[in-house]
Amino acid sequence: MLLQWRDLGTTNVACTPYKNHWHVLTAPNVDFALLDLSCHCMHYCGLVKHLLLKSKLKNLLLETCVVEKSEEWVISDASVAYGGVAPLSLCAIKTKEFLIGKKWNQDVLQGALNVLRTDIVLKEDAPGGMVEFRKSLTLSFFFKFFLWVSHQIEGKKSIKESVLLSDLSAIKSFHRPPLVASQDYEIRKHGTSVGSPEVHLSSRLQVTGEAEYADDSPMPPNGLHAALVLSKKPHARILSIDDSGAKASPGFAGIFFAKDVPGSNKIGPVVLDEELFASEFVTCVGQVIGIVVAETHENAKLAARKVHVEYEELPAILSIEDAVRAESFHPNSQKCLKKGDVDLCFQSDQCEMIIEGKVQVGGQEHFYLEPHSSLIWTLDSGNEVHMISSTQAPQKHQKYVSHVLGLPMSKVVCKTKRIGGGFGGKETRSAFLAAAAAVPSYLMNRPVKLTLDRDIDMITTGQRHSFLGKYKVGFTNKGKVLALDLEIYNNAGNSLDLSLAVLERAMFHSDNVYEIPNVRIFGSVCFTNYPSNTAFRGFGGPQGMLIAENWIQRIALELKKSPEEIREINFQGEGSILHYGQQLEHCTLAPIWNELKVSCDFLKVREEVDGFNLHNRWKKRGIAMIPTKFGISFTTKFMNQAGALVNVYTDGTVLVTHGGVEMGQGLHTKVAQVAASAFNIPLSSVFISETSTDKVPNASPTAASASSDMYAAAALDACEQIKARMEPIASQHNFGSFAELVTACYLERIDLSAHGFYITPNIGFDWSTGKGKPFSYFTYGAAFAEVEIDTLTGDFHTRTANIFMDLGYSLNPAIDVGQVEGAFIQGLGWVALEELKWGDAAHKWIPPGCLYTCGPGSYKIPSLNDVPFKFNVSLLKGNPNVKAIHSSKAVGEPPFFMASSVFFAIKDAILAARAETGHTGWFPLDNPATPERIRMACLDEFTAPFVSSDFHPKLSV
């Protein structure tokens, strides 16, 4: 909004935006600031005030210029313009004409708002996002400006109207306080290194930028760069492909399609339902049709863009609800879990209240800092294929490449030094990219590197599954849940990938931590014309738990009780039998919840928040406490196995190779700590170089939070084998050092190398009966959050976050606390910031099936400004885990859901805002709770012209 004013007798300044920064320039007779109403930049009114104060204006007169005339303030001139509300900046000409000559009072405010509604016109399909939100902002910002000017001139003799104290919250400047954080944990040492808060072994290289990743691998002199030819239609028949333009492009070296694949063109991690290169049909935008290789990365991309494909378009399914209506499900992907008799319970008089509803759960982009990358080359005249890949599953790369090339797996080697984040996104979807690059490398007998640009990465490789949950819940007047009937659907995209396993985990976690006597859960995997969605931290668990917490909160509103009270009376405990037959053992939910409640002084904060909300009309605070229970193990039994190779050298140093991948989570550090303690040597004497399929075969992906449990145990097994061989020599002499012992063993021809192996014991689940023990154990946690929202803009910040986790006796508490903090912030992005916008019926301004939010300019991941002002992490003390190595617990995925405390705190704040206009009942709020959704849920006179009280914003699911 362009706000123009005149200052009499002082230096004037002009404040203009330039590349997202504000610059103050001197200019004669005019001050102005251009306010961009884009969805995620909400502090403009405070910003304008800040700029004005900095310019030391004394007699601020709105121009919108307000002059004192006959002891009244009259608007002599005005300029009002909006940027970011439409593709081009809009000038509110009618509003300007209305304002000029009017007295500055409440009447002019109401009149200007009425004119503004018709002055700034947006069509329903206007590009950029939620139209209703942008329309309301035009009014909200004008109202903020009116309040600010009124407050500035308040007290002058000609002003008869005062700004209400409760209204001042609309214009109060925001000052971000210094961040305060604490980490509370105990150190339980075991041997020389286990239990110690050691620094991540690669940290120095990473912070200095010296750590090497896949794309850092030097290109051989005859190496080529690759780029993908991608579909531009969500569902179509390929009529023809014209590659003449690509072949004439600079640096072109080759182009390859389905007909050129030496082996099989069919791929897939579970079932072979994908094509490496689309042959006749494309089933999503971004599907790979072919691959181009050229001398440089830029030339390869240029050539790929010159490939022209003719299509015959076919009907596309672009949402879960479209898929349900069309019964578009992946084959054999519908599941059911039952406990008790749901129908009988609903029909009986036990259920004093029954509620029904649905929950839409948004997806999420992995946004690892290192995009997908593979370098592939041949050896021995093409008899062997080697690759360096950024992947969580080197074995899958080995398998895919051997499959499409028609080679035995023994002739294909995949190596991974480290990856720059994966979060599940590099578990399976990285493999088809390596396989695509392998085709030109093998056929041309030349090295080929394929590294995706960020937009291509986001368009092609899938995201966290969006979900739709339809629930029916029966409960007593006291809030005790008696029956849950749930249908859940996930959006798999155009191939099955891991979507069935994601659905299964969501079904396992649909109770979160609540004792429910009667449960029935139906789950279905939807086929849609989007790129195949895939694993993401939590693997369906967070989606299932978020649906559960939604109906828990709705029960609380129905009964006019606090959600925390409803949670407590429904908690599971020691010995509880879950809806899939597993019995809880060593349950630490109650002590975690109680310690969290004491640490955050919940009842006192509740009173303070209620007091704040009572005295502030346009800023509201909210709080929430959320528990979690996350099952640890791959739910597919055979994947719960791990191998490691340990070599001891005569200088007393140890080389460990295992099947897990270091992706920043500290896996190598923990495994090295276990090996160091096993041999009673310093951590510096243990080295882990890389993960390689020719050292440890058939490794499961580094996923499911189980890698430290399994690979550390496998390494320990190998160490114990070597120690057993060394024992006869060690018992004969007093050696001064480990190196002396090793040398003595070597001279006695003792084998100083061993392969270790570990399987997770006592697990298994039978889907034919719906009963079993899918998880070895559970990691428990709970989190408290307090937020503050600006009801006029939807902006929010997290004032406090307290997290308690039970991680047993941590192998490395410093790394584990870092994992908790990182998971929480990533989860915060999922619940409140990151929205995927696809071309569908709800977003007609985006081409069908296309991803609009394909880069950081339109897709907002958390930043430093999103870190809670007070961020406290505590690990439960004195609770060893008997089910995992050295009494530790898995940490990677369980803390992710803790960020939902922010989501429900936001909803608590919105409830306070809605109460101001008499709306006190339950309302749907989908994640992510972006500023758009927050603002439009805070019903007031500025949203009323554009939406009804039951407005439900559209979400791509």
Side-chain angles (χ1 to χ4, degrees):
M1 181 164 57
L2 186 66
L3 304 174
Q4 185 172 303
W5 57 87
R6 179 185 303 148
D7 173 42
L8 305 179
T10 63
T11 303
N12 290 277
V13 297
C15 309
T16 61
Y18 176 70
K19 294 183 178 179
N20 298 322
H21 297 283
W22 292 81
H23 295 261
V24 179
L25 310 172
T26 58
N29 302 322
V30 65
D31 301 329
F32 66 90
L34 185 63
L35 303 187
D36 184 355
L37 302 186
S38 60
C39 298
H40 300 281
C41 304
M42 298 300 174
H43 290 309
Y44 295 120
C45 290
L47 179 59
V48 172
K49 182 178 179 183
H50 174 71
L51 292 172
L52 295 178
L53 294 175
K54 286 292 185 183
S55 65
K56 303 190 185 309
L57 301 176
K58 294 178 182 177
N59 299 309
L60 180 63
L61 307 176
L62 184 62
E63 191 172 295
T64 350
C65 180
V66 185
V67 296
E68 192 171 3
K69 193 172 181 181
S70 302
E71 295 194 348
E72 291 185 320
W73 294 85
V74 177
I75 302 168
S76 67
D77 198 1
S79 294
V80 183
Y82 290 93
V85 74
L88 299 174
S89 297
L90 301 178
C91 290
I93 302 298
K94 294 178 184 177
T95 307
K96 170 183 176 177
E97 293 171 351
F98 170 82
L99 287 171
I100 295 175
K102 298 290 193 307
K103 298 175 184 178
W104 189 260
N105 53 30
Q106 286 289 333
D107 291 338
V108 80
L109 169 65
Q110 295 305 320
L113 292 175
N114 290 333
V115 176
L116 262 178
R117 289 206 299 269
T118 59
D119 209 0
I120 303 297
V121 179
L122 291 175
K123 296 181 180 179
E124 287 187 6
D125 60 348
M130 196 185 299
V131 170
E132 299 88 349
F133 168 69
R134 288 180 281 162
K135 287 179 178 179
S136 73
L137 278 191
T138 62
L139 306 187
S140 295
F141 275 132
F142 191 91
F143 175 63
K144 277 177 173 270
F145 179 73
F146 176 85
L147 288 179
W148 181 78
V149 172
S150 298
H151 184 55
Q152 294 300 308
I153 58 180
E154 192 174 35
K156 303 292 191 292
K157 61 181 178 179
S158 54
I159 287 293
K160 299 178 176 132
E161 299 173 349
S162 298
V163 177
L164 296 176
L165 289 176
S166 60
D167 280 345
L168 289 178
S169 57
I171 56 174
K172 191 174 181 180
S173 296
F174 173 73
H175 299 287
R176 185 177 179 86
L179 299 183
V180 178
S182 69
Q183 301 174 342
D184 182 25
Y185 53 80
E186 63 179 340
I187 296 175
R188 293 272 186 160
K189 288 289 293 287
H190 181 94
T192 56
S193 189
V194 167
S196 177
E198 301 285 351
V199 174
H200 192 294
L201 293 179
S202 294
S203 58
R204 185 189 64 80
L205 295 176
Q206 287 169 322
V207 299
T208 59
E210 298 171 276
E212 294 186 359
Y213 297 89
D215 194 44
D216 295 315
S217 303
M219 283 289 286
N222 63 335
L224 297 171
H225 292 266
L228 302 173
V229 179
L230 302 174
S231 163
K232 296 181 180 179
K233 302 295 179 182
H235 189 202
R237 182 193 301 273
I238 298 174
L239 299 178
S240 64
I241 301 175
D242 180 3
D243 59 4
S244 57
K247 290 178 177 178
S249 193
F252 172 84
I255 187 168
F256 303 86
F257 300 101
K259 61 183 175 58
D260 302 307
V261 177
S264 174
N265 193 44
K266 300 292 286 185
I267 56 173
V270 180
V271 296
L272 303 180
D273 64 344
E274 300 181 61
E275 286 186 309
L276 179 65
F277 300 132
S279 56
E280 183 180 358
F281 295 94
V282 293
T283 51
C284 73
V285 174
Q287 186 172 355
V288 180
I289 297 174
I291 189 167
V292 177
V293 286
E295 293 177 358
T296 68
H297 181 61
E298 291 301 321
N299 282 342
K301 291 194 295 181
L302 179 63
R305 287 196 291 268
K306 293 181 178 179
V307 177
H308 181 69
V309 182
E310 288 285 342
Y311 301 95
E312 175 193 345
E313 293 194 52
L314 301 170
I317 294 175
L318 299 175
S319 73
I320 291 177
E321 291 191 327
D322 284 350
V324 172
R325 281 192 292 268
E327 296 185 352
S328 177
F329 304 115
H330 284 273
N332 305 311
S333 67
Q334 293 179 293
K335 299 285 185 177
C336 182
L337 291 173
K338 294 181 180 180
K339 174 188 175 184
D341 192 325
V342 170
D343 290 329
L344 181 62
C345 186
F346 282 138
Q347 292 163 9
S348 72
D349 57 2
Q350 296 177 37
C351 296
E352 295 169 302
M353 297 187 73
I354 296 175
I355 56 172
E356 296 184 61
K358 69 177 184 179
V359 182
Q360 295 184 121
V361 181
Q364 184 182 21
E365 165 60 30
H366 301 86
F367 222 102
Y368 25 70
L369 293 184
E370 178 201 19
H372 286 283
S373 181
S374 285
L375 171 62
I376 301 179
W377 67 96
T378 58
L379 295 173
D380 199 20
S381 298
N383 190 48
E384 299 176 46
V385 175
H386 285 230
M387 73 190 95
I388 295 172
S389 289
S390 180
T391 177
Q392 296 171 236
Q395 185 261 359
K396 276 191 170 62
H397 280 224
Q398 179 193 27
K399 187 174 182 179
Y400 273 47
V401 168
S402 68
H403 184 68
V404 302
L405 298 183
L407 293 175
M409 291 177 69
S410 56
K411 290 188 176 182
V412 178
V413 176
C414 179
K415 297 183 178 183
T416 300
K417 179 76 172 177
R418 64 173 64 86
I419 69 176
F423 311 115
K426 296 176 182 176
E427 182 175 345
T428 57
R429 303 316 294 164
S430 59
F432 83 88
L433 298 166
V439 172
S441 177
Y442 182 73
L443 294 177
M444 301 178 73
N445 202 22
R446 294 177 68 176
V448 169
K449 179 183 282 188
L450 174 62
T451 300
L452 301 186
D453 288 351
R454 179 65 60 185
D455 59 338
I456 300 301
D457 192 307
M458 294 181 70
I459 288 167
T460 60
T461 60
Q463 286 90 21
R464 177 186 296 280
H465 292 75
S466 58
F467 268 70
L468 174 64
K470 298 180 180 180
Y471 62 81
K472 181 179 179 181
V473 181
F475 52 95
T476 68
N477 288 332
K478 291 184 178 180
K480 183 70 182 75
V481 179
L482 299 178
L484 168 65
D485 195 5
L486 178 65
E487 295 177 25
I488 57 174
Y489 305 88
N490 69 357
N491 188 336
N494 70 335
S495 76
L496 185 62
D497 193 71
L498 300 177
S499 299
L500 181 55
V502 170
L503 177 80
E504 291 170 356
R505 186 172 280 269
M507 294 172 70
F508 286 139
H509 286 75
S510 288
D511 60 344
N512 194 9
V513 297
Y514 305 116
E515 187 81 60
I516 312 171
N518 303 283
V519 178
R520 180 171 59 206
I521 304 174
F522 287 108
S524 301
V525 178
C526 297
F527 177 97
T528 59
N529 292 112
Y530 288 120
S532 190
N533 289 314
T534 190
F536 199 132
R537 194 177 202 161
F539 203 77
Q543 292 97 314
M545 292 186 284
L546 190 64
I547 293 170
E549 291 299 339
N550 267 275
W551 54 253
I552 283 285
Q553 194 205 38
R554 185 169 180 185
I555 291 172
L557 283 172
E558 294 286 345
L559 297 176
K560 294 181 172 52
K561 296 177 181 285
S562 77
E564 288 71 28
E565 182 181 350
I566 301 299
R567 292 181 179 110
E568 288 177 8
I569 66 174
N570 287 288
F571 274 169
Q572 295 163 344
E574 189 70 17
S576 290
I577 305 296
L578 306 180
H579 58 285
Y580 44 88
Q582 182 163 348
Q583 185 174 20
L584 291 187
E585 304 173 276
H586 312 290
C587 177
T588 55
L589 174 61
I592 285 174
W593 183 262
N594 292 333
E595 289 204 30
L596 175 64
K597 205 169 186 179
V598 171
S599 72
C600 66
D601 203 351
F602 184 82
L603 295 178
K604 179 183 177 183
V605 175
R606 176 79 271 174
E607 289 181 4
E608 291 173 350
V609 165
D610 291 343
F612 177 89
N613 292 340
L614 184 64
H615 295 98
N616 291 273
R617 174 64 183 93
W618 304 109
K619 296 279 177 69
K620 297 295 181 184
R621 291 178 183 173
I623 60 173
M625 280 179 65
I626 301 291
T628 190
K629 169 184 104 264
F630 194 88
I632 306 301
S633 290
F634 287 97
T635 52
T636 302
K637 183 177 178 178
F638 74 83
M639 297 179 71
N640 294 282
Q641 58 176 295
L645 176 64
V646 175
N647 297 325
V648 179
Y649 295 95
T650 55
D651 64 351
T653 60
V654 177
L655 174 65
V656 179
T657 306
H658 59 87
V661 171
E662 176 57 57
M663 48 187 167
Q665 85 281 38
L667 175 60
H668 283 356
T669 304
K670 288 184 175 181
V671 172
Q673 286 178 267
V674 168
S677 285
F679 289 120
N680 199 32
I681 58 178
L683 180 60
S684 58
S685 295
V686 181
F687 180 61
I688 300 178
S689 175
E690 63 184 6
T691 307
S692 181
T693 57
D694 61 353
K695 302 296 188 299
V696 178
N698 310 318
S700 294
T702 302
S705 304
S707 298
S708 292
D709 287 3
M710 296 200 304
Y711 290 113
L716 180 60
D717 178 47
C719 294
E720 295 294 344
Q721 293 177 45
I722 296 171
K723 285 173 65 180
R725 296 175 200 154
M726 297 170 71
E727 176 57 29
I729 305 299
S731 63
Q732 294 174 13
H733 304 282
N734 258 338
F735 293 98
S737 66
F738 183 65
E740 291 181 12
L741 171 59
V742 174
T743 299
C745 291
Y746 168 72
L747 295 175
E748 292 295 327
R749 298 181 295 179
I750 302 295
D751 183 5
L752 297 172
S753 177
H755 171 256
F757 192 67
Y758 176 80
I759 61 171
T760 307
N762 305 318
I763 57 170
F765 188 80
D766 184 354
W767 275 100
S768 65
T769 63
K771 294 293 182 274
K773 186 182 178 184
F775 305 115
S776 176
Y777 62 89
F778 296 91
T779 294
Y780 297 90
F784 163 85
E786 179 186 354
V787 304
E788 182 175 306
I789 66 172
D790 182 332
T791 67
L792 290 169
T793 64
D795 191 21
F796 82 95
H797 53 260
T798 306
R799 290 169 51 80
T800 302
N802 287 1
I803 307 169
F804 261 85
M805 296 293 299
D806 169 21
L807 300 181
Y809 290 168
S810 171
L811 297 177
N812 186 322
I815 283 178
D816 283 354
V817 167
Q819 283 287 289
V820 173
E821 293 170 340
F824 185 89
I825 297 301
Q826 189 174 50
L828 176 62
W830 174 58
V831 299
L833 296 173
E834 303 176 39
E835 180 172 8
L836 295 164
K837 295 180 182 177
W838 294 90
D840 54 23
H843 302 85
K844 293 180 180 178
W845 48 276
I846 307 172
C850 291
L851 179 63
Y852 172 72
T853 49
C854 59
S858 54
Y859 185 81
K860 304 300 182 183
I861 64 172
S863 70
L864 183 62
N865 283 340
D866 299 300
V867 175
F869 300 160
K870 296 179 182 178
F871 197 11
N872 307 312
V873 177
S874 302
L875 304 186
L876 190 66
K877 299 171 183 176
N879 280 272
N881 175 32
V882 298
K883 298 293 185 73
I885 184 166
H886 296 316
S887 302
S888 63
K889 275 193 173 185
V891 66
E893 292 166 296
F896 179 90
F897 185 66
M898 295 291 81
S900 67
S901 59
V902 173
F903 176 81
F904 288 102
I906 288 172
K907 195 167 186 181
D908 185 52
I910 295 173
L911 283 167
R914 292 167 68 91
E916 296 274 4
T917 55
H919 296 86
T920 57
W922 179 87
F923 68 96
L925 180 67
D926 300 323
N927 78 296
T930 57
E932 295 98 318
R933 285 189 172 76
I934 295 172
R935 197 277 164 270
M936 299 313 293
C938 296
L939 303 174
D940 53 44
E941 59 266 40
F942 308 113
T943 62
F946 310 114
V947 298
S948 61
S949 60
D950 60 351
F951 176 63
H952 192 177
K954 298 165 184 175
L955 181 69
S956 291
V957 291

